Short mmCIF file of all heavy atoms in Angstrom, two decimals:
data_model
loop_
_atom_site.label_atom_id
_atom_site.label_comp_id
_atom_site.label_asym_id
_atom_site.label_seq_id
_atom_site.Cartn_x
_atom_site.Cartn_y
_atom_site.Cartn_z
N MET B 1 20.32 20.90 -28.12
CA MET B 1 21.01 19.71 -27.37
C MET B 1 21.14 18.50 -28.23
O MET B 1 20.08 18.05 -28.84
CB MET B 1 20.16 19.40 -26.13
CG MET B 1 20.62 18.15 -25.39
SD MET B 1 19.63 17.89 -23.96
CE MET B 1 20.07 16.15 -23.68
N THR B 2 22.36 18.07 -28.44
CA THR B 2 22.52 16.85 -29.27
C THR B 2 22.68 15.63 -28.33
O THR B 2 23.36 15.72 -27.30
CB THR B 2 23.70 16.98 -30.12
OG1 THR B 2 24.81 17.39 -29.37
CG2 THR B 2 23.47 18.06 -31.21
N ALA B 3 22.12 14.55 -28.75
CA ALA B 3 22.23 13.28 -27.96
C ALA B 3 23.12 12.32 -28.73
O ALA B 3 22.72 11.97 -29.87
CB ALA B 3 20.87 12.70 -27.66
N PRO B 4 24.15 11.90 -28.14
CA PRO B 4 24.96 10.85 -28.88
C PRO B 4 24.18 9.52 -28.83
O PRO B 4 23.30 9.30 -28.06
CB PRO B 4 26.23 10.84 -27.99
CG PRO B 4 25.79 11.22 -26.66
CD PRO B 4 24.69 12.23 -26.82
N ALA B 5 24.69 8.61 -29.69
CA ALA B 5 24.15 7.29 -29.65
C ALA B 5 24.41 6.69 -28.31
O ALA B 5 25.47 6.82 -27.73
CB ALA B 5 24.84 6.44 -30.71
N ASP B 6 23.40 6.17 -27.72
CA ASP B 6 23.45 5.87 -26.28
C ASP B 6 23.32 4.41 -25.97
O ASP B 6 23.12 4.03 -24.86
CB ASP B 6 22.46 6.69 -25.47
CG ASP B 6 21.02 6.40 -25.99
OD1 ASP B 6 20.73 5.33 -26.35
OD2 ASP B 6 20.23 7.38 -26.04
N THR B 7 23.20 3.54 -26.96
CA THR B 7 22.87 2.19 -26.78
C THR B 7 23.93 1.51 -25.87
O THR B 7 23.58 0.46 -25.26
CB THR B 7 22.74 1.45 -28.06
OG1 THR B 7 23.86 1.77 -28.92
CG2 THR B 7 21.43 1.81 -28.74
N ASP B 8 25.12 1.98 -25.85
CA ASP B 8 26.21 1.39 -25.12
C ASP B 8 26.29 1.98 -23.65
O ASP B 8 27.17 1.50 -22.80
CB ASP B 8 27.51 1.53 -25.74
CG ASP B 8 27.57 0.71 -27.08
OD1 ASP B 8 26.96 -0.32 -27.06
OD2 ASP B 8 28.23 1.19 -27.99
N LEU B 9 25.41 2.91 -23.39
CA LEU B 9 25.54 3.57 -22.10
C LEU B 9 24.54 3.00 -21.00
O LEU B 9 24.58 3.52 -19.95
CB LEU B 9 25.31 5.08 -22.31
CG LEU B 9 26.43 5.83 -23.14
CD1 LEU B 9 25.97 7.24 -23.19
CD2 LEU B 9 27.69 5.66 -22.50
N ALA B 10 23.79 2.09 -21.42
CA ALA B 10 22.73 1.53 -20.45
C ALA B 10 23.51 0.95 -19.22
O ALA B 10 24.47 0.19 -19.45
CB ALA B 10 21.95 0.57 -21.05
N PRO B 11 23.12 1.35 -18.10
CA PRO B 11 23.74 0.77 -16.88
C PRO B 11 23.59 -0.72 -16.79
O PRO B 11 22.64 -1.27 -17.28
CB PRO B 11 23.06 1.49 -15.77
CG PRO B 11 22.26 2.65 -16.31
CD PRO B 11 22.05 2.22 -17.72
N THR B 12 24.54 -1.34 -16.13
CA THR B 12 24.48 -2.73 -15.85
C THR B 12 24.89 -2.88 -14.40
O THR B 12 25.50 -1.99 -13.76
CB THR B 12 25.52 -3.53 -16.74
OG1 THR B 12 26.84 -3.10 -16.35
CG2 THR B 12 25.31 -3.26 -18.20
N PRO B 13 24.64 -4.10 -13.82
CA PRO B 13 25.07 -4.27 -12.39
C PRO B 13 26.54 -4.05 -12.25
O PRO B 13 26.99 -3.67 -11.12
CB PRO B 13 24.65 -5.67 -12.15
CG PRO B 13 23.48 -5.96 -13.11
CD PRO B 13 23.80 -5.10 -14.33
N ASP B 14 27.35 -4.21 -13.28
CA ASP B 14 28.77 -3.92 -13.16
C ASP B 14 29.13 -2.48 -13.16
O ASP B 14 30.11 -2.07 -12.52
CB ASP B 14 29.57 -4.59 -14.29
CG ASP B 14 29.68 -6.10 -14.12
OD1 ASP B 14 29.54 -6.57 -12.96
OD2 ASP B 14 29.82 -6.76 -15.12
N GLN B 15 28.20 -1.73 -13.80
CA GLN B 15 28.46 -0.28 -13.84
C GLN B 15 27.09 0.36 -13.39
O GLN B 15 26.30 0.86 -14.28
CB GLN B 15 28.81 0.23 -15.21
CG GLN B 15 30.19 -0.31 -15.57
CD GLN B 15 30.75 0.44 -16.69
OE1 GLN B 15 30.18 0.64 -17.78
NE2 GLN B 15 31.92 1.09 -16.52
N PRO B 16 26.76 0.33 -12.21
CA PRO B 16 25.41 0.75 -11.67
C PRO B 16 25.22 2.21 -11.98
O PRO B 16 26.19 2.98 -11.91
CB PRO B 16 25.41 0.37 -10.23
CG PRO B 16 26.83 0.19 -9.83
CD PRO B 16 27.57 -0.19 -11.15
N GLY B 17 23.98 2.57 -12.15
CA GLY B 17 23.61 3.93 -12.33
C GLY B 17 22.25 4.02 -12.99
O GLY B 17 21.69 3.06 -13.33
N VAL B 18 21.91 5.21 -13.34
CA VAL B 18 20.67 5.44 -14.14
C VAL B 18 21.06 6.22 -15.37
O VAL B 18 21.94 7.04 -15.36
CB VAL B 18 19.73 6.17 -13.19
CG1 VAL B 18 20.11 7.63 -12.89
CG2 VAL B 18 18.34 6.24 -13.89
N HIS B 19 20.40 5.86 -16.44
CA HIS B 19 20.65 6.56 -17.65
C HIS B 19 19.36 6.98 -18.36
O HIS B 19 18.43 6.11 -18.45
CB HIS B 19 21.49 5.60 -18.58
CG HIS B 19 21.68 6.23 -20.00
ND1 HIS B 19 22.48 7.39 -20.17
CD2 HIS B 19 21.24 5.88 -21.23
CE1 HIS B 19 22.51 7.66 -21.38
NE2 HIS B 19 21.76 6.83 -22.08
N VAL B 20 19.24 8.16 -18.79
CA VAL B 20 18.01 8.66 -19.46
C VAL B 20 18.43 9.19 -20.76
O VAL B 20 19.41 10.00 -20.86
CB VAL B 20 17.29 9.71 -18.60
CG1 VAL B 20 16.14 10.32 -19.40
CG2 VAL B 20 16.78 9.14 -17.30
N ALA B 21 17.74 8.77 -21.78
CA ALA B 21 18.08 9.31 -23.16
C ALA B 21 16.77 9.99 -23.69
O ALA B 21 15.72 9.47 -23.52
CB ALA B 21 18.35 8.07 -24.07
N LYS B 22 17.01 11.19 -24.22
CA LYS B 22 15.93 11.96 -24.81
C LYS B 22 16.44 12.35 -26.18
O LYS B 22 17.02 13.41 -26.33
CB LYS B 22 15.66 13.16 -23.93
CG LYS B 22 14.53 14.15 -24.46
CD LYS B 22 13.15 13.53 -24.27
CE LYS B 22 12.16 14.59 -24.56
NZ LYS B 22 10.82 14.08 -24.86
N PRO B 23 16.22 11.56 -27.22
CA PRO B 23 16.88 11.76 -28.51
C PRO B 23 16.43 13.08 -29.20
O PRO B 23 17.23 13.71 -29.89
CB PRO B 23 16.45 10.55 -29.42
CG PRO B 23 16.02 9.49 -28.39
CD PRO B 23 15.53 10.29 -27.17
N ALA B 24 15.16 13.40 -28.97
CA ALA B 24 14.69 14.65 -29.60
C ALA B 24 13.51 15.08 -28.86
O ALA B 24 12.89 14.37 -28.00
CB ALA B 24 14.29 14.41 -31.04
N ARG B 25 13.16 16.40 -29.00
CA ARG B 25 12.11 16.97 -28.21
C ARG B 25 10.75 16.23 -28.39
O ARG B 25 10.02 16.06 -27.41
CB ARG B 25 11.93 18.47 -28.70
CG ARG B 25 11.52 19.31 -27.55
CD ARG B 25 11.46 20.76 -27.96
NE ARG B 25 10.15 21.32 -27.60
CZ ARG B 25 9.62 22.40 -28.13
NH1 ARG B 25 10.20 23.02 -29.15
NH2 ARG B 25 8.53 22.87 -27.72
N ASP B 26 10.43 15.82 -29.57
CA ASP B 26 9.14 15.16 -29.84
C ASP B 26 9.29 13.70 -29.77
O ASP B 26 8.38 12.99 -30.21
CB ASP B 26 8.66 15.61 -31.21
CG ASP B 26 8.35 17.11 -31.25
OD1 ASP B 26 8.05 17.60 -30.17
OD2 ASP B 26 8.47 17.68 -32.29
N PHE B 27 10.33 13.20 -29.25
CA PHE B 27 10.54 11.77 -29.10
C PHE B 27 10.46 11.33 -27.69
O PHE B 27 10.96 12.07 -26.84
CB PHE B 27 12.04 11.49 -29.75
CG PHE B 27 12.19 10.11 -30.36
CD1 PHE B 27 11.67 9.87 -31.57
CD2 PHE B 27 12.82 9.12 -29.63
CE1 PHE B 27 11.82 8.66 -32.22
CE2 PHE B 27 12.96 7.86 -30.19
CZ PHE B 27 12.47 7.67 -31.48
N PRO B 28 9.84 10.26 -27.48
CA PRO B 28 9.67 9.86 -26.06
C PRO B 28 10.99 9.47 -25.45
O PRO B 28 11.81 8.84 -26.07
CB PRO B 28 8.79 8.65 -26.11
CG PRO B 28 8.83 8.08 -27.51
CD PRO B 28 9.16 9.32 -28.40
N ALA B 29 11.21 9.88 -24.21
CA ALA B 29 12.44 9.50 -23.55
C ALA B 29 12.46 8.04 -23.13
O ALA B 29 11.34 7.42 -23.03
CB ALA B 29 12.57 10.40 -22.23
N THR B 30 13.69 7.52 -23.05
CA THR B 30 13.87 6.20 -22.60
C THR B 30 14.84 6.23 -21.47
O THR B 30 15.70 7.12 -21.40
CB THR B 30 14.32 5.18 -23.72
OG1 THR B 30 15.58 5.74 -24.15
CG2 THR B 30 13.35 5.12 -24.85
N GLY B 31 14.67 5.32 -20.51
CA GLY B 31 15.61 5.29 -19.45
C GLY B 31 15.75 3.90 -18.91
O GLY B 31 14.92 3.00 -19.05
N SER B 32 16.90 3.69 -18.25
CA SER B 32 17.13 2.41 -17.58
C SER B 32 17.99 2.63 -16.36
O SER B 32 18.79 3.63 -16.27
CB SER B 32 17.75 1.41 -18.56
OG SER B 32 18.99 1.91 -18.90
N TYR B 33 17.97 1.77 -15.43
CA TYR B 33 18.94 1.78 -14.33
C TYR B 33 19.29 0.37 -13.92
O TYR B 33 18.66 -0.57 -14.31
CB TYR B 33 18.23 2.51 -13.11
CG TYR B 33 17.19 1.79 -12.30
CD1 TYR B 33 17.54 0.76 -11.46
CD2 TYR B 33 15.82 2.06 -12.50
CE1 TYR B 33 16.57 0.01 -10.77
CE2 TYR B 33 14.92 1.36 -11.78
CZ TYR B 33 15.31 0.24 -10.89
OH TYR B 33 14.33 -0.38 -10.20
N ALA B 34 20.44 0.28 -13.24
CA ALA B 34 20.86 -0.96 -12.77
C ALA B 34 21.59 -0.66 -11.48
O ALA B 34 22.21 0.36 -11.32
CB ALA B 34 21.83 -1.63 -13.82
N CYS B 35 21.50 -1.58 -10.57
CA CYS B 35 22.15 -1.42 -9.25
C CYS B 35 23.14 -2.60 -9.11
O CYS B 35 22.94 -3.68 -9.73
CB CYS B 35 21.08 -1.42 -8.16
SG CYS B 35 21.74 -1.23 -6.50
N CYS B 36 24.14 -2.39 -8.24
CA CYS B 36 25.09 -3.44 -8.03
C CYS B 36 24.43 -4.65 -7.35
O CYS B 36 25.01 -5.70 -7.32
CB CYS B 36 26.23 -2.89 -7.17
SG CYS B 36 25.72 -2.09 -5.60
N CYS B 37 23.23 -4.50 -6.80
CA CYS B 37 22.58 -5.62 -6.14
C CYS B 37 21.87 -6.49 -7.20
O CYS B 37 21.31 -7.60 -6.92
CB CYS B 37 21.54 -5.17 -5.13
SG CYS B 37 20.05 -4.46 -5.85
N GLY B 38 21.82 -6.00 -8.47
CA GLY B 38 21.19 -6.72 -9.52
C GLY B 38 19.83 -6.20 -9.94
O GLY B 38 19.26 -6.67 -10.92
N ALA B 39 19.28 -5.27 -9.16
CA ALA B 39 18.00 -4.61 -9.53
C ALA B 39 18.23 -3.79 -10.86
O ALA B 39 19.16 -3.10 -10.90
CB ALA B 39 17.48 -3.86 -8.41
N THR B 40 17.29 -3.99 -11.73
CA THR B 40 17.27 -3.17 -12.92
C THR B 40 15.84 -2.75 -13.24
O THR B 40 14.93 -3.43 -12.85
CB THR B 40 17.81 -3.98 -14.10
OG1 THR B 40 17.04 -5.11 -14.33
CG2 THR B 40 19.27 -4.41 -13.88
N GLY B 41 15.82 -1.80 -14.08
CA GLY B 41 14.49 -1.31 -14.56
C GLY B 41 14.65 -0.51 -15.80
O GLY B 41 15.75 0.03 -16.09
N ARG B 42 13.60 -0.50 -16.62
CA ARG B 42 13.69 0.40 -17.81
C ARG B 42 12.25 0.91 -18.08
O ARG B 42 11.29 0.35 -17.65
CB ARG B 42 14.33 -0.27 -19.04
CG ARG B 42 13.73 -1.54 -19.41
CD ARG B 42 14.45 -2.20 -20.63
NE ARG B 42 15.84 -2.48 -20.27
CZ ARG B 42 16.87 -2.05 -20.94
NH1 ARG B 42 16.73 -1.29 -22.00
NH2 ARG B 42 18.09 -2.42 -20.66
N ALA B 43 12.32 2.03 -18.80
CA ALA B 43 10.97 2.65 -19.07
C ALA B 43 11.13 3.50 -20.36
O ALA B 43 12.17 3.84 -20.78
CB ALA B 43 10.60 3.54 -17.94
N LYS B 44 9.93 3.66 -20.97
CA LYS B 44 9.85 4.51 -22.13
C LYS B 44 8.69 5.43 -21.97
O LYS B 44 7.66 5.07 -21.47
CB LYS B 44 9.67 3.60 -23.41
CG LYS B 44 9.73 4.32 -24.63
CD LYS B 44 9.72 3.35 -25.84
CE LYS B 44 9.91 4.03 -27.13
NZ LYS B 44 9.85 3.16 -28.33
N GLY B 45 8.91 6.68 -22.41
CA GLY B 45 7.95 7.73 -22.28
C GLY B 45 8.33 8.69 -21.15
O GLY B 45 8.80 8.25 -20.17
N ASP B 46 8.17 9.89 -21.35
CA ASP B 46 8.64 10.93 -20.45
C ASP B 46 8.14 10.71 -19.06
O ASP B 46 8.90 10.75 -18.10
CB ASP B 46 8.28 12.33 -20.91
CG ASP B 46 9.01 12.78 -22.12
OD1 ASP B 46 9.56 11.90 -22.78
OD2 ASP B 46 9.02 14.00 -22.44
N ASP B 47 6.85 10.48 -18.87
CA ASP B 47 6.29 10.27 -17.57
C ASP B 47 6.85 8.98 -16.92
O ASP B 47 7.21 8.97 -15.75
CB ASP B 47 4.75 10.25 -17.58
CG ASP B 47 4.14 11.58 -17.93
OD1 ASP B 47 4.89 12.60 -17.82
OD2 ASP B 47 3.07 11.66 -18.27
N ASN B 48 6.93 7.93 -17.67
CA ASN B 48 7.45 6.69 -17.18
C ASN B 48 8.86 6.80 -16.78
O ASN B 48 9.26 6.19 -15.73
CB ASN B 48 7.17 5.59 -18.23
CG ASN B 48 5.78 5.26 -18.42
OD1 ASN B 48 4.96 5.44 -17.59
ND2 ASN B 48 5.46 4.74 -19.65
N VAL B 49 9.64 7.48 -17.56
CA VAL B 49 11.08 7.67 -17.23
C VAL B 49 11.19 8.48 -15.95
O VAL B 49 12.03 8.22 -15.12
CB VAL B 49 11.84 8.30 -18.37
CG1 VAL B 49 13.16 8.73 -17.95
CG2 VAL B 49 11.88 7.38 -19.52
N ARG B 50 10.33 9.52 -15.78
CA ARG B 50 10.38 10.30 -14.55
C ARG B 50 10.12 9.35 -13.33
O ARG B 50 10.77 9.41 -12.27
CB ARG B 50 9.33 11.40 -14.64
CG ARG B 50 9.64 12.55 -13.71
CD ARG B 50 8.74 13.70 -13.98
NE ARG B 50 9.00 14.26 -15.34
CZ ARG B 50 7.99 14.54 -16.24
NH1 ARG B 50 6.75 14.49 -15.84
NH2 ARG B 50 8.27 14.97 -17.47
N ASP B 51 9.10 8.49 -13.53
CA ASP B 51 8.80 7.58 -12.46
C ASP B 51 10.00 6.63 -12.23
O ASP B 51 10.37 6.18 -11.05
CB ASP B 51 7.62 6.72 -12.80
CG ASP B 51 6.34 7.58 -12.67
OD1 ASP B 51 6.37 8.63 -12.08
OD2 ASP B 51 5.29 7.06 -13.16
N LEU B 52 10.59 6.22 -13.27
CA LEU B 52 11.77 5.31 -13.23
C LEU B 52 12.91 5.92 -12.44
O LEU B 52 13.54 5.27 -11.52
CB LEU B 52 12.31 4.89 -14.61
CG LEU B 52 13.45 3.91 -14.61
CD1 LEU B 52 12.96 2.55 -14.63
CD2 LEU B 52 14.27 4.15 -15.85
N VAL B 53 13.15 7.21 -12.67
CA VAL B 53 14.21 7.88 -11.98
C VAL B 53 13.89 7.94 -10.44
O VAL B 53 14.77 7.75 -9.57
CB VAL B 53 14.52 9.26 -12.61
CG1 VAL B 53 15.50 10.01 -11.69
CG2 VAL B 53 15.04 9.06 -13.97
N ALA B 54 12.65 8.24 -10.17
CA ALA B 54 12.21 8.32 -8.77
C ALA B 54 12.36 6.91 -8.10
O ALA B 54 12.72 6.87 -6.99
CB ALA B 54 10.74 8.83 -8.76
N GLU B 55 12.02 5.91 -8.89
CA GLU B 55 12.16 4.51 -8.38
C GLU B 55 13.62 4.22 -8.04
O GLU B 55 13.92 3.66 -7.06
CB GLU B 55 11.66 3.62 -9.41
CG GLU B 55 11.45 2.14 -9.03
CD GLU B 55 10.98 1.28 -10.23
OE1 GLU B 55 10.02 1.73 -10.93
OE2 GLU B 55 11.61 0.25 -10.43
N TRP B 56 14.52 4.69 -8.96
CA TRP B 56 15.91 4.47 -8.74
C TRP B 56 16.45 5.20 -7.44
O TRP B 56 17.13 4.66 -6.63
CB TRP B 56 16.72 4.92 -9.96
CG TRP B 56 18.17 5.20 -9.71
CD1 TRP B 56 18.82 6.45 -9.79
CD2 TRP B 56 19.20 4.22 -9.54
NE1 TRP B 56 20.10 6.22 -9.52
CE2 TRP B 56 20.37 4.93 -9.42
CE3 TRP B 56 19.18 2.83 -9.30
CZ2 TRP B 56 21.58 4.24 -9.09
CZ3 TRP B 56 20.36 2.21 -9.10
CH2 TRP B 56 21.54 2.90 -8.95
N ILE B 57 16.02 6.42 -7.31
CA ILE B 57 16.39 7.22 -6.11
C ILE B 57 15.89 6.55 -4.92
O ILE B 57 16.61 6.41 -3.89
CB ILE B 57 15.94 8.66 -6.30
CG1 ILE B 57 16.67 9.38 -7.41
CG2 ILE B 57 16.09 9.38 -4.92
CD1 ILE B 57 16.04 10.71 -7.78
N ASP B 58 14.63 6.07 -4.96
CA ASP B 58 14.05 5.35 -3.86
C ASP B 58 14.83 4.10 -3.52
O ASP B 58 15.07 3.73 -2.43
CB ASP B 58 12.55 5.07 -4.20
CG ASP B 58 11.91 4.58 -2.91
OD1 ASP B 58 11.92 5.29 -1.87
OD2 ASP B 58 11.32 3.52 -2.95
N HIS B 59 15.17 3.37 -4.66
CA HIS B 59 16.00 2.16 -4.40
C HIS B 59 17.27 2.40 -3.72
O HIS B 59 17.72 1.57 -2.91
CB HIS B 59 16.13 1.45 -5.80
CG HIS B 59 17.01 0.17 -5.69
ND1 HIS B 59 16.43 -1.08 -5.27
CD2 HIS B 59 18.27 -0.02 -5.78
CE1 HIS B 59 17.44 -1.96 -5.22
NE2 HIS B 59 18.51 -1.34 -5.50
N ARG B 60 17.94 3.46 -4.12
CA ARG B 60 19.24 3.71 -3.44
C ARG B 60 19.10 3.96 -2.02
O ARG B 60 20.06 3.72 -1.21
CB ARG B 60 19.85 4.95 -4.15
CG ARG B 60 20.16 4.77 -5.55
CD ARG B 60 21.54 5.19 -6.00
NE ARG B 60 21.63 6.56 -5.78
CZ ARG B 60 22.78 7.25 -6.03
NH1 ARG B 60 23.83 6.60 -6.51
NH2 ARG B 60 22.83 8.49 -5.81
N ASN B 61 17.89 4.40 -1.60
CA ASN B 61 17.76 4.57 -0.14
C ASN B 61 17.35 3.33 0.53
O ASN B 61 17.54 3.18 1.81
CB ASN B 61 16.55 5.59 0.11
CG ASN B 61 17.03 6.97 -0.32
OD1 ASN B 61 18.19 7.32 -0.18
ND2 ASN B 61 16.09 7.76 -0.87
N THR B 62 16.77 2.30 -0.16
CA THR B 62 16.33 1.15 0.40
C THR B 62 17.14 -0.14 0.05
O THR B 62 16.91 -1.21 0.51
CB THR B 62 14.88 0.86 0.00
OG1 THR B 62 14.78 0.80 -1.42
CG2 THR B 62 13.97 1.97 0.51
N CYS B 63 18.10 0.08 -0.88
CA CYS B 63 18.87 -1.06 -1.37
C CYS B 63 19.58 -1.82 -0.25
O CYS B 63 20.20 -1.17 0.59
CB CYS B 63 19.97 -0.62 -2.36
SG CYS B 63 20.90 -1.97 -2.99
N PRO B 64 19.41 -3.19 -0.20
CA PRO B 64 20.06 -3.92 0.89
C PRO B 64 21.56 -4.06 0.58
O PRO B 64 22.25 -4.71 1.47
CB PRO B 64 19.27 -5.23 0.86
CG PRO B 64 18.87 -5.39 -0.61
CD PRO B 64 18.64 -3.93 -1.08
N HIS B 65 22.01 -3.71 -0.50
CA HIS B 65 23.31 -4.14 -0.96
C HIS B 65 24.33 -2.94 -0.88
O HIS B 65 25.04 -2.71 -1.77
CB HIS B 65 23.25 -4.66 -2.41
CG HIS B 65 24.46 -5.45 -2.85
ND1 HIS B 65 24.73 -6.74 -2.39
CD2 HIS B 65 25.53 -5.06 -3.62
CE1 HIS B 65 25.84 -7.12 -2.91
NE2 HIS B 65 26.37 -6.12 -3.65
N ARG B 66 24.30 -2.16 0.11
CA ARG B 66 25.24 -1.10 0.17
C ARG B 66 25.89 -0.95 1.51
O ARG B 66 25.60 -1.72 2.38
CB ARG B 66 24.59 0.27 -0.14
CG ARG B 66 23.36 0.57 0.68
CD ARG B 66 22.93 1.94 0.44
NE ARG B 66 22.17 2.39 1.65
CZ ARG B 66 21.95 3.62 2.01
NH1 ARG B 66 22.54 4.54 1.36
NH2 ARG B 66 21.27 3.91 3.03
ZN1 LIG E 1 20.24 -2.19 -5.18
#
């Protein structure tokens, strides 16, 4: 699996979503999310990114801005 340069793919409130990057197998994953309500988060490390994604999914269920 090849990972393209991803620095430009980080979500912003204008382009909400979640983005996870895993450059290499032995490299810690990084992730970030942004919501149209302005909530953002980022994390580094496989476990932290997993939590971040869970947080994002939870936020989408509780976001006041939809
Ligand atoms: Zn939100």
Side-chain angles (χ1 to χ4, degrees):
M1 173 179 161
T2 54
D6 57 36
T7 46
D8 292 326
L9 294 180
T12 67
D14 286 337
Q15 292 198 306
V18 66
H19 177 67
V20 173
K22 177 78 170 162
R25 212 176 131 201
D26 296 330
F27 209 78
T30 59
S32 62
Y33 73 78
C35 183
C36 55
C37 74
T40 59
R42 56 182 62 234
K44 186 172 184 183
D46 290 18
D47 289 346
N48 292 334
V49 168
R50 201 169 300 135
D51 288 347
L52 181 87
V53 172
E55 190 182 313
W56 161 248
I57 291 168
D58 190 55
H59 177 81
R60 297 225 300 179
N61 291 327
T62 58
C63 180
H65 195 77
R66 52 170 203 156

